[in-house]
Amino acid sequence: MTPVIEIEALERTFHVGPVAIAALRGVSLRIFPGETVAIDGPSGSGKSTLLNLLGLLDRPDAGTYRLDGRDLGVLDDDERTVLRNQKIGFVFQSSPMLPRLTAEENAAVPLVYRGQRPYAARRAARAVLARLGLEAFAKHRPGQLSGGQLQRVAIARALVGSPRLILADEPTASLDPRTGAETMRHVRDHCRDTGAVLVLISHNPADLAAGDRRHVLEAGRLHAAGATVPA
Amino acid sequence: MIPHATNLRIAVHSLADAWRRNLLALAGLAVGIGAVVAMLALTLIVRRESLEQFDRTGTDVIVIRKTSGATPAGRRAPAIDLDLVRRLPEAVPALRRVAPLMERRSAIGFTGRTVQAPLLGVTEAFVDLNGLTAAEGRLLTDLDRTESFVVVGRDQARSLRGGGEGPLVGRQVSVDGRLLTIIGVLAPAQAIKLHQGDLNQAVLMHAESFARIVEGAEIGVVYAQHAAAAETAQVVDDAVAFLQAAAEGLAVQGVSAAALLEEMHRQLKLFALLLGATGSIALVLGGTGIMNSLMLAVAQRRVEIGLRRALGALRGDIQAQFLFEAILLCGAGGALGVPLGVAATKAIAAYAQWDYALPGAIPVLGLGLAAAVGVLAGFFPAYQAARLEPAAAIKSVA
Ligand SMILES: Nc1ncnc2c1ncn2[C@@H]1O[C@H](COP(=O)(O)OP(=O)(O)OP(=O)(O)O)[C@@H](O)[C@H]1O
Ligand SMILES: [Mg+2]
C-alpha cells in the first residue's frame, strides 16, 4: 500500500539575522490511508513547522516529501496551491477567519477556490457546520463567535472539501473537554468515513490517546512515543 | 483561478472597510483626473474651432469695426460709407473680397403679424465670404442693389411661417412701412468666426437698399479676405490706416482671424499649463496615496492573505484581488474627476468665450487614465501581497 505521506530526512532551518534556528533536523515519517498520527512535544520543538511543510505552506531545506506517491519537490507554487486546496484541510493553532464573511461563508472558502459556485459551496459548508453543532451560528460573523465556536468553524472549513489529509494544530486547545472530545470524534469519524489521514498536534492526553500512533518532536527530531531519546 | 466576480466582491468589501483612508487618496485622484480631462477637452475645443475656421474661410479673414470715434464739433459723426468700402481694395491691394455689414434690429411685418429680427445690409461678397447657400429661391447678388428684395435665414423663415407650410418666396414683408419681396430662404448657415450673431435668425437685404430705406443706416463692420501670401497684420494695419485717413475723426479697429486664433492658442497654452501642472501633481499625489493605502492594506491583511493562500488562493488570485481594489478605487476617483473636469471645461470655455463642446471620447479617456493609474499604483502592493509566504503570513496574528 502506498503511504499517503512519506517524508524522508526533512530539514528546515530558519535564519534570523546571524542566528540559524534548526527547527527540523531530519524528520522521516510514513502515514498510511486512514491513519491518525498524534504528535506531541515541547513548545518550540518544531511541531508547527512540520505541519506547515506537510501542508505545503512552506518548503523544506532538505529531504523529500511524497504525497500519495508523488514527489512534491518539483512542483511550482501554483501546482502546490492547487494540490493544497484539493487534498489538504487545515486547522491552525489560532483560528484565523476572513472577518467580513459569515461562518458558513468562511467554511465554504476552500470550495470557492476549487471553483464551486458560492451558493453550492455555502450549502455544503452549512451541512458540515450542522454536524459540528453550529447550525444556529451559520450566519454569524467571526467577531460574533466564541473562541470554541471559531475553532469548530475552522474544523468545518478543514473538512468541507473532504481532503485526503487533515492537519490540525492543537484543534481542541480552546474547547472545553466535552466539546473538545465531541469535536474530535467528528473529525475522526470523518477520517474513518473518507479514509483521510489526520495529523494531529496536541498536548491533550485524550486527543493523543485517540491516535493510531503517537510521536514526540523534540528539538527538531521525531521519535515514536515511549522511545528513549538518544543522548 | 477563482471567478473575477468573487475577487471583485472581496475588493469592494475591503475598500469599504478602509473607506476613510481611501477617501483622501480618492479626492487627490479626482482632482488630477478632472484637470487632465479639462486640459484635453479645452485643447480639443480650440483645435476644433481653429480647424473650423480653416475649413470654411481659411485664416485669411480680417474684420474692421467702427469704434465710437470722436465727432468733430457741429458735424455729423464720421462713418464708414459704401463708397469708402468700395475704395478699400484699391488702397490695400492684398484685399480680395470686402464685405461691409449694416445691421439694425427691426420689426418685420408679415401677414398681419410682427416679428423682431436682425435686418442685415450686405453685399454679394458677404454671401460668398460666409459660403451661404439657398434652401429656397435664390441668394442676394450685387444686381439686387436697386431692388427691394430680402433673403430670410432658416429659423426666421420658420417663425414667419408660424408653423404653416406655404412658400415664402415671392411673398412680401414690411420693414418700416416699406414692402420688400422675399426672394430666397437660406440653408442652415454658420457665419465665419469673426461674425457675431446668428445668420439663421437674420433677414438679409442688399446694403444699398438697406441704406435707402433704413434711416441712419451705417456700416458697423467690414469683413475682408486677403491674399494668402499677404502679411495679415500688415493688411489689418493698412486697412485701418486707410479708413481713418479717409474719413476725418473715424476710429476703427481691425482684427484678423489669424490673430484671434493665435490669441486662443495663447490662452489655451496658459490653461493647459495650469491644468497640466495641477493635474500631474494631483495624479501623482493621488496615485501615491492609493499605493500607500494599498500597502497598508496588505500589511494589515497579512493573515487574511496567508489564510486565503492556505485555502487555495493562487498568487494570481491575490494579485488580482489587490489590483481590482486599486482599479476600483481609481475608477471611483475617475468617476468623480470626470464631472469635475467637465465643469471646469464649461467654466473656462465660458470665460474665454469659446463654444463649449465635449467630445464623447474625453470622459472615456478620463476613466481610462484613472484605471491606468490604478494599475500603476496597485501593481507593487499587489505583487507584494502575492509574494507573501503563507505560513509566515498566517502566523502574524499570534
Ligand atoms: N518563520 C520563522 N522564522 C524564524 N524562526 C521560526 C519561524 N517559525 C518557527 N521558528 C522557530 O522554529 C522553532 C520551531 O517553531 P514551531 O512554531 O514549529 O514550534 P512549535 O513546536 O509549534 O511550538 P508551540 O508548541 O509553541 O506552538 C522555534 O524555535 C521558532 O522560534
Ligand atoms: Mg506551534
Side-chain angles (χ1 to χ4, degrees), chain A residues 14 16 21 23 41-49 93 170 203, chain B residues 392 395:
Chain A
F14 295 107
V16 181
I21 300 159
S43 179
S45 58
K47 304 183 295 294
S48 296
T49 303
Q93 202 162 357
E170 303 193 48
H203 305 301
Chain B
K395 242 191 358 209

Side-chain angles (χ1 to χ4, degrees), chain A residues 72-118:
Chain A
L72 304 185
V74 298
L75 300 187
D76 70 16
D77 193 85
D78 279 359
E79 291 167 326
R80 286 157 60 88
T81 301
V82 169
L83 209 61
R84 184 160 68 226
N85 174 254
Q86 287 172 347
K87 296 207 165 181
I88 305 174
F90 292 96
V91 184
F92 297 103
Q93 202 162 357
S94 58
S95 317
M97 292 284 151
L98 300 178
R100 299 275 308 188
L101 304 186
T102 62
E104 70 179 29
E105 284 168 337
N106 265 291
V109 169
L111 297 182
V112 172
Y113 280 120
R114 221 176 258 190
Q116 280 198 19
R117 319 272 319 156

Side-chain angles (χ1 to χ4, degrees), chain A:
Chain A
M1 190 162 40
T2 335
V4 176
I5 287 178
E6 187 174 12
I7 55 176
E8 194 66 49
L10 276 197
E11 291 181 22
R12 183 74 174 101
T13 303
F14 295 107
H15 298 273
V16 181
V19 185
I21 300 159
L24 295 179
R25 317 170 180 228
V27 172
S28 302
L29 182 66
R30 296 165 124 201
I31 308 177
F32 291 89
E35 268 193 307
T36 294
V37 173
I39 298 176
D40 192 7
S43 179
S45 58
K47 304 183 295 294
S48 296
T49 303
L50 176 59
L51 224 57
N52 285 340
L53 290 180
L54 291 178
L56 298 174
L57 293 173
D58 195 11
R59 284 174 186 269
D61 299 311
T64 56
Y65 178 9
R66 290 173 182 279
L67 183 61
D68 283 327
R70 184 173 175 198
D71 186 357
L72 304 185
V74 298
L75 300 187
D76 70 16
D77 193 85
D78 279 359
E79 291 167 326
R80 286 157 60 88
T81 301
V82 169
L83 209 61
R84 184 160 68 226
N85 174 254
Q86 287 172 347
K87 296 207 165 181
I88 305 174
F90 292 96
V91 184
F92 297 103
Q93 202 162 357
S94 58
S95 317
M97 292 284 151
L98 300 178
R100 299 275 308 188
L101 304 186
T102 62
E104 70 179 29
E105 284 168 337
N106 265 291
V109 169
L111 297 182
V112 172
Y113 280 120
R114 221 176 258 190
Q116 280 198 19
R117 319 272 319 156
Y119 177 77
R122 278 206 305 277
R123 201 177 41 199
R126 213 155 41 230
V128 182
L129 285 174
R131 268 194 281 141
L132 295 171
L134 281 178
E135 267 170 303
F137 299 94
K139 303 284 185 198
H140 286 227
R141 288 183 198 281
Q144 302 163 328
L145 296 172
S146 74
Q149 288 165 339
L150 279 178
Q151 191 65 314
R152 277 186 284 161
V153 176
I155 288 167
R157 186 174 61 196
L159 300 184
V160 76
S162 301
R164 271 301 262 165
L165 170 61
I166 293 170
L167 303 173
D169 200 342
E170 303 193 48
T172 59
S174 53
L175 304 180
D176 66 83
R178 225 196 65 195
T179 317
E182 204 170 299
T183 305
M184 280 315 297
R185 189 169 54 74
H186 282 298
V187 175
R188 274 198 310 276
D189 285 353
H190 182 92
C191 291
R192 198 193 52 233
D193 295 348
T194 60
V197 159
L198 171 64
V199 179
L200 172 71
I201 290 175
S202 185
H203 305 301
N204 181 343
D207 293 349
L208 294 170
D212 301 318
R213 280 195 278 152
R214 274 181 64 187
H215 291 272
V216 178
L217 246 182
E218 243 166 325
R221 292 183 212 277
L222 192 70
H223 321 282
T228 47
V229 182

Side-chain angles (χ1 to χ4, degrees), chain B residues 25-37 275 278-280 282-283 333 336-337 340-341:
Chain B
L26 210 75
L29 192 71
V31 169
I33 296 287
V36 171
V37 162
L275 290 168
T278 316
S280 40
L283 274 186
L336 286 177
L340 209 70

Side-chain angles (χ1 to χ4, degrees), chain B residues 166-190:
Chain B
L168 284 177
V169 175
R171 304 186 62 181
Q172 292 190 312
V173 293
S174 70
V175 176
D176 289 354
R178 284 175 192 258
L179 288 181
L180 306 171
T181 306
I182 299 174
I183 58 163
V185 173
L186 292 182
Q190 204 186 2

Side-chain angles (χ1 to χ4, degrees), chain B residues 20-317:
Chain B
R20 243 178 260 275
R21 185 176 72 208
N22 291 328
L23 211 60
L24 213 70
L26 210 75
L29 192 71
V31 169
I33 296 287
V36 171
V37 162
M39 186 177 78
L40 290 176
L42 288 171
T43 306
L44 284 184
I45 283 174
V46 168
R47 171 160 313 158
R48 187 180 46 92
E49 291 219 352
S50 13
L51 278 183
E52 228 166 57
Q53 193 63 45
F54 269 111
D55 270 3
R56 271 162 357 94
T57 52
T59 46
D60 49 357
V61 180
I62 66 170
V63 59
I64 295 167
R65 269 175 228 286
K66 188 185 171 218
T67 56
S68 49
T71 309
R75 280 199 269 160
R76 200 174 155 264
I80 311 174
D81 61 28
L82 280 169
D83 186 47
L84 210 53
V85 170
R86 247 175 248 122
R87 281 161 49 206
L88 197 54
E90 290 160 34
V92 187
L95 288 181
R96 293 279 175 274
R97 284 177 187 138
V98 178
L101 175 71
M102 300 172 173
E103 184 163 8
R104 163 75 49 92
R105 207 166 166 76
S106 305
I108 294 175
F110 183 68
T111 60
R113 288 181 302 120
T114 304
V115 294
Q116 290 290 327
L119 184 67
L120 306 186
V122 300
T123 58
E124 194 173 327
F126 183 87
V127 174
D128 292 344
L129 197 61
N130 284 294
L132 302 181
T133 54
E136 298 167 37
R138 66 175 178 84
L139 295 166
L140 282 170
T141 71
D142 283 340
L143 296 177
D144 300 319
R145 62 164 62 91
T146 56
E147 307 285 351
S148 301
F149 289 160
V150 294
V151 169
V152 184
R154 198 259 317 250
D155 297 342
Q156 199 53 252
R158 199 173 286 158
S159 60
L160 285 182
R161 282 191 172 109
E165 275 297 319
L168 284 177
V169 175
R171 304 186 62 181
Q172 292 190 312
V173 293
S174 70
V175 176
D176 289 354
R178 284 175 192 258
L179 288 181
L180 306 171
T181 306
I182 299 174
I183 58 163
V185 173
L186 292 182
Q190 204 186 2
I192 53 169
K193 188 74 203 162
L194 294 167
H195 177 76
Q196 292 161 345
D198 185 0
L199 288 180
N200 297 312
Q201 289 290 344
V203 174
L204 280 62
M205 64 188 299
H206 198 276
E208 289 187 25
S209 325
F210 188 101
R212 259 192 337 273
I213 70 163
V214 176
E215 205 174 314
E218 129 170 65
I219 296 170
V221 182
V222 177
Y223 300 107
Q225 209 164 16
H226 62 77
E231 179 67 47
T232 307
Q234 191 60 50
V235 171
V236 172
D237 286 352
D238 289 353
V240 167
F242 166 73
L243 290 175
Q244 294 190 152
E248 196 198 343
L250 178 66
V252 295
Q253 213 176 40
V255 183
S256 67
L260 211 74
L261 281 179
E262 213 168 275
E263 170 64 14
M264 262 179 101
H265 279 114
R266 202 186 55 76
Q267 278 191 44
L268 172 69
K269 235 185 225 161
L270 194 75
F271 288 130
L273 193 73
L274 219 80
L275 290 168
T278 316
S280 40
I281 291 173
L283 274 186
V284 167
L285 285 182
T288 321
I290 281 167
M291 183 145 143
N292 196 48
S293 173
L294 284 168
M295 304 264 273
L296 220 75
V298 172
Q300 281 176 351
R301 279 149 57 193
R302 283 172 61 91
V303 179
E304 173 187 331
I305 295 164
L307 181 62
R308 285 186 186 279
R309 293 279 284 119
L311 299 180
L314 301 175
R315 283 195 169 141
D317 287 324

